[in-house]
Amino acid sequence: MAVSQLYATSSTRSETFLHYNSSLSRFIQFGSRNRLFLIRTLNSSRLKTPSFCVRNVSSEPKQKRNHPVVSEQVSSALNGYTPDAASITSSIKYHAEFTPLFSPEKFELTKAFFATAQSVRDSLIINWNATYDCYEKLNVKQAYYLSMEFLQGRALLNAIGNLGLTGAYAEALSKLGHNLENVLGQEPDAALGNGGLGRLASCFLDSLATLNYPAWGYGLRYRYGLFKQRTTKDGQEEVAEDWLEMGNPWEIVRNDVSYPIKFYGKVVSGSDGKSHWIGGEDIKAVAYDVPIPGYKTKTTINLRLWSTKVPSGDFDLYAFNAGDHTKAAEALSNAEKICYILYPGDESIEGKILRLKQQYTLCSASLQDIIVRFERRSGANVNWDEFPEKVAVQMNDTHPTLCIPEMMRILVDLKGLSWKEAWNITQRTVAYTNHTVLPEALEKWSLELMQKLLPRHVEIIEMIDEELIHTIVSEYGTADPDLLEKKLKEMRILDNVDLPATFANLIVKPKESTVVVPSDELETTEEEVESVSEEPEAENILEEEKEVEAVPEPPKLVRMANLCIVGGHAVNGVAEIHSEIVKDEVFNEFYKLWPEKFQNKTNGVTPRRWIRFCNPDLSRIITYWIGTEDWVINTEKLAELRKFADNEDLQTQFRAAKRNNKMKVVSLIKERTGYTVSPDAMFDIQVKRIHEYKRQLMNILGIVYRYKQMKEMSAAERKAKFVPRVCIFGGKAFATYVQAKRIVKFITDVGATVNHDPEIGDLLKVVFVPDYNVSVAELLIPSSELSQHISTAGMEASGTSNMKFAMNGCILIGTLDGANVEIREEVGEDNFFLFGAEAHEIAGLRKERADGKFVPDPRFEEVKEYVRSGIFGPYNYDELMGSLEGNGGFGRADYFLVGKDFPSYIECQEKVDEAYRDQKGWTRMSIMNTAGSYKFSSDRTIHEYARDIWEIEPVELP
């Protein structure tokens, strides 16, 4: 499909140009400086597509001063030809001079990157505008994907790859004295996400554009993102991200697209009978747009990011001139800090408020924007019943839950719809993706805090909760009060909140005790506390004037996941096993009530970024053996590799590609850590967010066990028993997650000891790569030979890095958790290293621990003692090792069953060593992993969302 290309114009000129079908842009050369100026000439009605390129004027004969010269590339682009390196060179030169961010004296790498990116962005703008012009005219149903994270990674290679211009840009930059790979390396990763949630959202946008689905992403434009991770002798250190310090060449600020956002204030009833939210704190959300191009298609969709500010009138000039500079800028500071940090620490009340402000800003600004678009496309006669026929809103996890009360507020308070009409529209529009079964990750917000910050939304949530209570009562009746109480306790949106007055007499509770309990008795269980009654002994306690303390009331909470299920028409898990757990355990009561709402949508990743662009060596091999490059879009063609899995030529090529990728990582490790590792060793990699349930701790304890065994052997015995390994970790621990940060510290300490042990040499290396991000992943994943996905069964919703590793011919060691289950099915049981307890066993194993019946394996005890011996330095690891001991208590009792699975894990690792010695067999397993990964393309996932949840159809641009 021909892609219209635009070069050598600023974004403003490009966008304006689209509105002039009879105009043609031309460039004039002025004197010897070769400056290019854009002019518009008429009488070009024969030109239907306003696309043009810059001519490489420096290589053309000189023209007379002021004589306009029409670029040859204009007609080339109009006729559908791909632009050549010469026109691209001119475009880059133009931006270096006329869209400058740097001084004009030099054309160094950073300047080359920005000029190149601006050149590519010009190309994208034509298709970007054409895409939405088409959607606007056709008034198609459009999906809107709301996510707090979009972990995009670098955009330049992805953009020129999707446009099919990688070679042309490489040649153009070579003419300008630069290497494409070096220029690509100048781009910082956009700090808009942290882990799998954000990377999934970005893969989905890529697939939506590639498959020509009408869609849009909405997020927040974080100034600093999460944090930049450094590792020091003290472990992880967090510093502010600097990704925006030199600007973002991909984004375009839309100063004409802004919406009011309100916090605090109060709700009053007007004379019209409507509720009015007044007073409080008012800010503005301003749109920043980023183009998302599809692969070999004109479709270029939009990622709209919101930034926050206040009008200049809110700057207190009087206070500033009086010397109170902080007060003068207080309103501006309060607004801007909303978009400073991804996931600000919420240990403090201020942190909680800031997080809730972020979530509401995303929801309110996005919905206002969606509704304005719907009204514009509807014309003079807006029919709100058609809203769900034109709009699908997908909430990526519970962060955008406030979409539900916000849509109700807008429809009822501002658009004048009845509650019944608005509720019907909201439920038909909104859908929810669940990403976790961890209780702490199912968001619960303080009702008191939400009442203060969003008073009107609490009123709406209370009304939704009341409707839900009515539904539950209608479904289960009142004959069995205990059953009804159980249902209400599990399903209500408001937790620990009294029933509304209309239902107050449904369940008669025993009279509450007014007894206060001695502070020295507060260690009893909740059941024991609740059973205390007004006995004489209690009176004696008061008479004796013992020190007493009232039993605290449980906090009143808003359960966001429950609100998502009630307010939406679809709830999906992200892997088959996860979706079953959602139905059978996490939301079983809702599933019984509304089974038709629950679906599975197994996650996927884009094969463009995660094979085609990040692993060109493997891509060429796949294309050669399959005989077509269609696999980049139709990944089911990867399965054809299976018939060549034993072919020696393919195996030789596969190993050569893997070694080339390993050499890149050898350089990365040297640059980032100073360690030198051997490319001949097995690369064993675990890269993901640091969390106890992901069990990086089990991995590093397994390495410690391996190291201890080595130290107890002779050199000959070590060499005979162990395959050389480079064990690589990467991932960030949340700044306030103490235990996760201890794990990072432990890994780096083990590495510092092992890597400097001359007896061990290249037989074992342990590396923690700091500041893991998408760009680092694009190097590590193609190089990996063994990848660890070892979470406690039933804890990982899906995982997506496991899919990326499998695509790149890496063999997985893992539990039957998340997407591991489906990956193992697709690649074959013999090509996956399986260990550990299964999901249905976990509850029983935890009870076994709680009952004091668990007997740890001697090897596990041996490893813990070895750590405590001080072999890895003076840091005290008692707290970390103690978390794996005992039968109960916060932070103890090995909740994630590291000790239980440890014997199975180290025995499985012995099988890995044995398999790796047979390089022919190992390579065959690697090929089978790539061949079996076809199911895990995000294209497949998006087709399923589009068909089953959003009900949207592809729209291919002419």
Side-chain angles (χ1 to χ4, degrees):
M1 186 184 301
V3 180
S4 299
Q5 303 297 336
L6 170 65
Y7 291 95
T9 62
S10 68
S11 59
T12 306
R13 289 169 176 163
S14 305
E15 294 167 280
T16 305
F17 188 78
L18 277 178
H19 300 290
Y20 292 86
N21 289 330
S22 62
S23 64
L24 171 66
S25 296
R26 305 198 293 182
F27 297 93
I28 303 175
Q29 178 181 359
F30 285 91
S32 60
R33 291 290 302 276
N34 291 336
R35 291 185 176 177
L36 302 173
F37 286 82
L38 177 65
I39 65 170
R40 185 172 285 120
T41 60
L42 302 178
N43 302 322
S44 302
S45 58
R46 62 186 178 85
L47 300 178
K48 295 181 180 179
T49 307
S51 303
F52 51 90
C53 302
V54 177
R55 193 176 195 182
N56 187 354
V57 294
S58 61
S59 62
E60 296 295 325
K62 291 185 178 181
Q63 307 294 329
K64 293 181 180 179
R65 187 180 297 269
N66 295 337
H67 180 73
V69 179
V70 180
S71 170
E72 293 173 359
Q73 276 71 38
V74 173
S75 57
S76 296
L78 290 171
N79 289 317
Y81 297 139
T82 302
D84 58 13
S87 62
I88 291 173
T89 303
S90 291
S91 171
I92 295 171
K93 284 182 177 180
Y94 172 84
H95 280 290
E97 186 161 2
F98 290 100
T99 320
L101 291 169
F102 303 89
S103 56
E105 292 85 7
K106 297 177 181 178
F107 189 67
E108 294 180 335
L109 273 174
T110 309
K111 184 174 182 178
F113 160 68
F114 275 88
T116 302
Q118 288 155 343
S119 163
V120 176
R121 190 186 71 174
D122 285 348
S123 304
L124 298 179
I125 286 172
I126 287 289
N127 293 337
W128 197 12
N129 288 346
T131 300
Y132 279 92
D133 184 53
C134 177
Y135 296 166
E136 197 83 8
K137 289 175 180 176
L138 295 178
N139 193 17
V140 294
K141 184 174 185 180
Q142 195 166 320
Y144 298 96
Y145 197 81
L146 273 64
S147 178
M148 288 295 285
E149 295 186 47
F150 286 93
L151 198 57
Q152 292 289 94
R154 291 170 174 166
L156 180 54
L157 179 60
N158 192 69
I160 61 177
N162 280 359
L163 291 169
L165 295 174
T166 307
Y169 267 91
E171 185 180 345
L173 285 166
S174 178
K175 290 181 178 181
L176 294 170
H178 287 297
N179 175 276
L180 174 61
E181 187 173 348
N182 293 337
V183 171
L184 294 171
Q186 297 303 302
E187 181 174 8
D189 277 39
L192 299 172
N194 175 32
L197 184 80
R199 187 52 237 172
L200 178 76
S202 295
C203 283
F204 279 2
L205 292 187
D206 177 89
S207 287
L208 284 163
T210 297
L211 301 174
N212 300 303
Y213 281 113
W216 210 326
Y218 280 109
L220 295 180
R221 181 180 180 268
Y222 303 107
R223 180 172 175 182
Y224 301 114
L226 188 67
F227 57 80
K228 183 173 287 188
Q229 181 194 51
R230 294 176 181 165
T231 50
T232 68
K233 61 181 178 61
D234 297 318
Q236 173 179 294
E237 180 182 299
E238 305 91 24
V239 296
E241 258 287 356
D242 58 358
W243 77 286
L244 281 176
E245 280 196 357
M246 289 191 290
N248 178 7
W250 304 107
E251 67 183 12
I252 295 177
V253 60
R254 308 294 192 189
N255 288 309
D256 58 329
V257 181
S258 66
Y259 298 99
I261 310 291
K262 181 183 288 294
F263 305 111
Y264 303 108
K266 62 182 179 179
V267 181
V268 298
S269 295
S271 57
D272 55 3
K274 295 181 182 178
S275 294
H276 296 272
W277 184 14
I278 62 172
E281 176 184 310
D282 295 297
I283 67 166
K284 288 203 311 181
V286 181
Y288 284 73
D289 287 351
V290 179
I292 308 294
Y295 180 74
K296 294 188 177 179
T297 175
K298 290 181 181 178
T299 300
T300 301
I301 65 172
N302 194 34
L303 170 58
R304 176 157 285 180
L305 303 171
W306 300 107
S307 187
T308 45
K309 66 178 186 178
V310 292
S312 56
D314 285 5
F315 181 79
D316 191 338
L317 192 59
Y318 179 83
F320 190 86
N321 286 331
D324 195 344
H325 302 155
T326 301
K327 180 184 176 183
E330 185 176 10
L332 178 63
S333 175
N334 285 338
E336 287 185 341
K337 71 182 179 183
I338 292 172
C339 290
Y340 274 176
I341 300 291
L342 169 65
Y343 302 141
D346 59 354
E347 299 295 308
S348 66
I349 187 66
E350 292 80 10
K352 289 181 173 65
I353 290 171
L354 189 55
R355 277 209 190 189
L356 195 55
K357 279 185 172 184
Q358 287 184 335
Q359 294 186 5
Y360 179 62
T361 298
L362 169 64
C363 294
S364 182
S366 302
L367 283 176
Q368 289 183 70
D369 196 43
I370 291 166
I371 287 170
V372 164
R373 189 171 302 109
F374 170 74
E375 290 178 317
R376 184 178 66 245
R377 292 180 182 178
S378 298
N381 301 311
V382 177
N383 181 355
W384 287 103
D385 285 340
E386 292 182 354
F387 190 79
E389 306 303 321
K390 299 296 182 182
V391 171
V393 173
Q394 189 69 34
M395 300 182 296
N396 191 28
D397 215 343
T398 52
H399 306 127
T401 305
L402 289 169
C403 279
I404 294 166
E406 176 67 359
M407 188 176 292
M408 292 296 294
R409 182 188 73 85
I410 294 172
L411 294 178
V412 174
D413 295 356
L414 304 183
K415 303 302 177 183
L417 275 66
S418 70
W419 176 271
K420 184 177 180 180
E421 291 171 324
W423 186 233
N424 178 267
I425 290 167
T426 299
Q427 284 188 304
R428 290 165 56 205
T429 301
V430 175
Y432 160 55
T433 299
N434 172 271
H435 284 281
T436 185
V437 299
L438 294 175
E440 66 268 23
L442 291 171
E443 284 188 296
K444 297 177 183 179
W445 281 101
S446 161
L447 179 62
E448 181 183 4
L449 185 151
M450 193 176 285
Q451 280 176 323
K452 182 186 298 184
L453 193 70
L454 303 169
R456 177 56 178 149
H457 296 77
V458 168
E459 290 184 351
I460 293 168
I461 290 169
E462 288 172 342
M463 294 173 71
I464 296 171
D465 186 58
E466 189 167 345
E467 284 212 3
L468 174 61
I469 294 169
H470 185 271
T471 300
I472 294 169
V473 172
S474 299
E475 181 71 19
Y476 297 103
T478 58
D480 187 341
D482 291 337
L483 174 65
L484 182 58
E485 184 176 17
K486 177 178 178 293
K487 299 291 183 183
L488 291 171
K489 182 173 180 59
E490 291 193 25
M491 299 175 71
R492 282 190 65 189
I493 296 163
L494 300 178
D495 193 20
N496 302 320
V497 176
D498 291 339
L499 288 168
T502 51
F503 298 98
N505 296 322
L506 274 180
I507 302 171
V508 180
K509 294 183 178 181
K511 185 178 179 182
E512 291 187 5
S513 171
T514 58
V515 172
V516 287
V517 182
S519 59
D520 60 354
E521 294 182 14
L522 285 177
E523 294 301 316
T524 54
T525 65
E526 290 181 7
E527 290 79 5
E528 289 171 330
V529 171
E530 289 171 0
S531 69
V532 177
S533 59
E534 295 186 21
E535 297 292 333
E537 287 83 1
E539 293 177 6
N540 292 337
I541 290 171
L542 293 174
E543 290 169 4
E544 293 171 11
E545 296 183 350
K546 289 187 177 181
E547 184 181 353
V548 295
E549 184 177 328
V551 178
E553 289 186 6
K556 296 178 179 179
L557 302 170
V558 181
R559 297 192 280 198
M560 306 302 269
N562 291 26
L563 179 55
C564 286
I565 296 169
V566 175
H569 65 91
V571 181
N572 72 278
V574 291
E576 287 177 1
I577 185 174
H578 169 238
S579 295
E580 291 305 308
I581 293 171
V582 165
K583 291 190 294 185
D584 297 343
E585 298 176 28
V586 185
F587 300 123
N588 181 249
E589 298 298 339
F590 286 108
Y591 175 64
K592 290 175 183 175
L593 185 61
W594 298 308
E596 70 283 355
K597 282 192 180 188
F598 288 80
Q599 303 184 19
N600 175 59
K601 296 288 173 279
T602 297
N603 282 342
V605 300
T606 167
R608 270 75 63 185
R609 183 178 288 269
W610 293 110
I611 310 181
R612 178 68 181 83
F613 301 144
C614 79
N615 199 344
D617 290 345
L618 179 59
S619 298
R620 284 189 288 268
I621 292 169
I622 294 170
T623 299
Y624 174 79
W625 286 90
I626 292 177
T628 176
E629 203 178 42
D630 288 351
W631 62 268
V632 179
I633 294 178
N634 302 309
T635 51
E636 61 272 12
K637 290 184 180 293
L638 290 173
E640 295 180 23
L641 285 173
R642 286 173 174 158
K643 60 189 176 187
F644 306 115
D646 292 306
N647 185 287
E648 290 187 8
D649 290 338
L650 173 57
Q651 289 196 1
T652 299
Q653 293 170 18
F654 229 80
R655 285 192 291 269
K658 186 66 72 174
R659 184 176 176 83
N660 286 344
N661 290 320
K662 289 169 74 174
M663 290 303 298
K664 295 176 185 176
V665 172
V666 169
S667 299
L668 173 75
I669 290 172
K670 182 66 175 176
E671 175 192 340
R672 294 288 186 93
T673 70
Y675 292 134
T676 300
V677 301
S678 170
D680 297 321
M682 178 203 297
F683 276 24
D684 169 356
I685 299 182
Q686 186 182 23
V687 282
K688 51 188 71 207
R689 179 166 52 94
I690 309 296
H691 197 290
E692 287 170 281
Y693 89 83
K694 294 178 185 287
R695 300 203 292 193
Q696 287 93 348
L697 183 54
M698 184 160 67
N699 185 350
I700 190 62
L701 287 175
I703 292 168
V704 169
Y705 180 75
R706 188 182 187 90
Y707 177 65
K708 184 175 185 295
Q709 282 189 302
M710 287 180 176
K711 293 294 287 180
E712 294 168 351
M713 295 177 178
S714 67
E717 289 173 326
R718 282 195 291 268
K719 187 174 181 181
K721 182 173 176 61
F722 295 106
V723 164
R725 284 204 202 191
V726 178
C727 300
I728 302 172
F729 294 82
K732 296 178 180 179
F734 191 66
T736 57
Y737 189 176
V738 175
Q739 196 74 320
K741 294 179 79 169
R742 286 185 182 129
I743 293 170
V744 174
K745 166 69 173 165
F746 184 36
I747 294 169
T748 57
D749 280 355
V750 172
T753 299
V754 172
N755 299 345
H756 293 104
D757 190 329
E759 289 185 356
I760 302 303
D762 286 337
L763 203 55
L764 181 63
K765 297 291 185 185
V766 181
V767 178
F768 189 96
V769 179
D771 205 36
Y772 176 68
N773 58 19
V774 176
S775 298
V776 173
E778 288 171 347
L779 290 171
L780 291 180
I781 290 172
S783 77
S784 181
E785 293 167 286
L786 180 76
S787 180
Q788 306 216 22
H789 303 273
I790 57 178
S791 51
T792 311
M795 295 287 99
E796 185 75 86
S798 166
T800 50
S801 66
N802 45 7
M803 303 170 184
K804 298 164 194 169
F805 280 104
M807 280 183 174
N808 283 273
C810 175
I811 303 165
L812 275 56
I813 179 172
T815 52
L816 285 179
D817 194 27
N820 284 2
V821 177
E822 293 161 77
I823 291 173
R824 183 169 176 262
E825 289 172 356
E826 297 297 332
V827 305
E829 293 180 6
D830 294 340
N831 304 307
F832 185 105
F833 293 103
L834 177 67
F835 75 95
E838 297 185 27
H840 67 272
E841 300 175 296
I842 300 302
L845 292 171
R846 286 183 177 140
K847 186 176 187 306
E848 177 187 66
R849 167 76 78 163
D851 292 343
K853 297 177 180 178
F854 172 69
V855 179
D857 187 280
R859 291 168 291 185
F860 187 59
E861 296 301 288
E862 181 184 325
V863 165
K864 289 188 296 178
E865 286 307 308
Y866 195 56
V867 173
R868 284 182 165 127
S869 72
I871 186 71
F872 302 113
Y875 186 84
N876 187 335
Y877 282 108
D878 284 347
E879 289 289 335
L880 186 61
M881 296 299 103
S883 71
L884 305 172
E885 298 171 340
N887 301 317
F890 181 75
R892 295 178 64 82
D894 194 13
Y895 183 78
F896 298 105
L897 304 179
V898 173
K900 178 64 181 180
D901 280 350
F902 188 75
S904 175
Y905 175 70
I906 59 175
E907 288 160 13
C908 191
Q909 287 285 15
E910 290 173 2
K911 295 176 184 176
V912 171
D913 275 35
E914 183 181 348
Y916 193 75
R917 287 192 176 93
D918 175 10
Q919 278 294 291
K920 183 176 180 180
W922 185 275
T923 306
R924 185 185 189 281
M925 294 171 70
S926 299
I927 295 169
M928 294 297 284
N929 267 266
T930 297
S933 67
Y934 60 88
K935 173 182 175 179
F936 305 102
S937 166
S938 50
D939 294 352
R940 186 263 316 150
T941 315
I942 286 299
H943 277 312
E944 293 178 5
Y945 273 101
R947 180 191 66 218
D948 302 336
I949 297 179
W950 303 332
E951 297 181 341
I952 60 174
E953 298 291 336
V955 177
E956 193 164 331
L957 272 65

